[in-house]
Amino acid sequence: MKVTIETLAAIYNVGMAIVMADGELKPEYVAPLEKFYGGINGFTNEAMMKVVDCANNNKNLTMERSVELVKSLDVDVKKRLVNIYADIVRADEQISDKKMVMFNGVRNLCGLPAPATPLVDNSDDVIAPTFIAAKTNGLAYPFQSTAESWQELDADIAEHIGAERTEIVRFTAPLNTLSKQLGLVDCHLVFLVDREGYKKDGLGDNMTGTLLYGSGHEILGNIVFALESDNGYKLMGFTSAALIENAYIEINATVGNLLRLE
């Protein structure tokens, strides 16, 4: 990995933000960062001192600048780095809520993938089918539906986006990429829009939808994210807390952090 001292210091700054999220500094919290730098070929103690000095004394290396530099790293480095940051959170015998929140914020802002091993093993937590609504103003929220037929589900989703009927957007390049990033099996990510939205006045551009449509066509009004089966195109909700969390993080990273939870 060939990066500048400034970028290495940015990685340190972001990691230390997670370390200090709950105000405690312990050797075991910093150990994962030391492991990261120790794994760089030819990296010396002198180089580490330069990294720490840059992190602490370079006035231009703000947290905002640090996030930008981490976000610009290539995918392979990000995959390695997110596991290091996850290990900082795991260093506590009981995972700190504040560290968990900071870790998820770092993932979101820096566009990091999911760690190889989830921080909280809630993959088996089956929940009622849950969908993610995204408004034109950038606010997003999850909602559940127990509808047993397509007609009931369509009506339920339509209510959340202020529509009479919905239309499904599927298989755009950005959505296909997100489906791969989420590791979806036998299903893919879609979003639903107001079928008659282009006829209505004042709905407003849904920038999240427009970016995920990916062809310059403007998506109007609120949208709802869901899953759809590869076989038979059956519309489904997210049924695990981990998948909902990862879907929100990956979607938001893809659209440049336009979303915020309501």
Side-chain angles (χ1 to χ4, degrees), residues 80-113:
R80 181 180 172 192
L81 191 57
V82 74
N83 291 317
I84 295 298
Y85 289 160
D87 284 343
I88 293 173
V89 181
R90 292 192 189 98
D92 282 312
E93 289 186 13
Q94 183 173 355
I95 288 180
S96 158
D97 289 341
K98 291 181 179 179
K99 281 194 177 73
M100 188 72 170
V101 169
M102 181 63 74
F103 172 79
N104 286 329
V106 163
R107 274 197 62 204
N108 188 0
L109 291 172
C110 298
L112 301 179

Side-chain angles (χ1 to χ4, degrees), residues 56-221:
N56 293 333
N57 299 313
N58 184 345
K59 294 181 179 179
N60 293 323
L61 190 61
T62 61
M63 184 54 66
E64 183 178 3
R65 171 64 177 161
S66 295
V67 166
E68 289 177 359
L69 288 171
V70 173
K71 188 175 182 179
S72 69
L73 293 169
D74 65 47
V75 174
D76 288 338
V77 177
K78 285 183 177 180
K79 286 180 179 178
R80 181 180 172 192
L81 191 57
V82 74
N83 291 317
I84 295 298
Y85 289 160
D87 284 343
I88 293 173
V89 181
R90 292 192 189 98
D92 282 312
E93 289 186 13
Q94 183 173 355
I95 288 180
S96 158
D97 289 341
K98 291 181 179 179
K99 281 194 177 73
M100 188 72 170
V101 169
M102 181 63 74
F103 172 79
N104 286 329
V106 163
R107 274 197 62 204
N108 188 0
L109 291 172
C110 298
L112 301 179
T117 303
L119 281 173
V120 179
D121 186 10
N122 53 10
S123 57
D124 294 329
D125 289 350
V126 177
I127 59 177
T130 301
F131 303 84
I132 302 172
K135 298 181 178 181
T136 55
N137 62 4
L139 291 176
Y141 65 91
F143 67 93
Q144 295 181 329
S145 175
T146 56
E148 296 182 358
S149 68
W150 160 247
Q151 290 78 11
E152 291 176 345
L153 181 57
D154 185 46
D156 200 356
I157 292 175
E159 182 180 352
H160 281 272
I161 61 177
E164 289 74 40
R165 300 168 62 201
T166 65
E167 182 174 356
I168 299 175
V169 177
R170 58 170 70 89
F171 297 140
T172 69
L175 286 176
N176 290 343
T177 297
L178 281 167
S179 293
K180 291 179 181 178
Q181 290 174 337
L182 291 171
L184 299 179
V185 178
D186 297 328
C187 64
H188 49 271
L189 183 70
V190 300
F191 66 86
L192 292 90
V193 301
D194 186 342
R195 182 185 288 267
E196 307 296 328
Y198 66 94
K199 296 180 180 179
K200 299 178 180 178
D201 294 327
L203 282 186
D205 177 19
N206 190 307
M207 187 58 69
T208 295
T210 297
L211 290 172
L212 294 181
Y213 195 79
S215 67
H217 179 79
E218 190 176 45
I219 298 297
L220 300 176

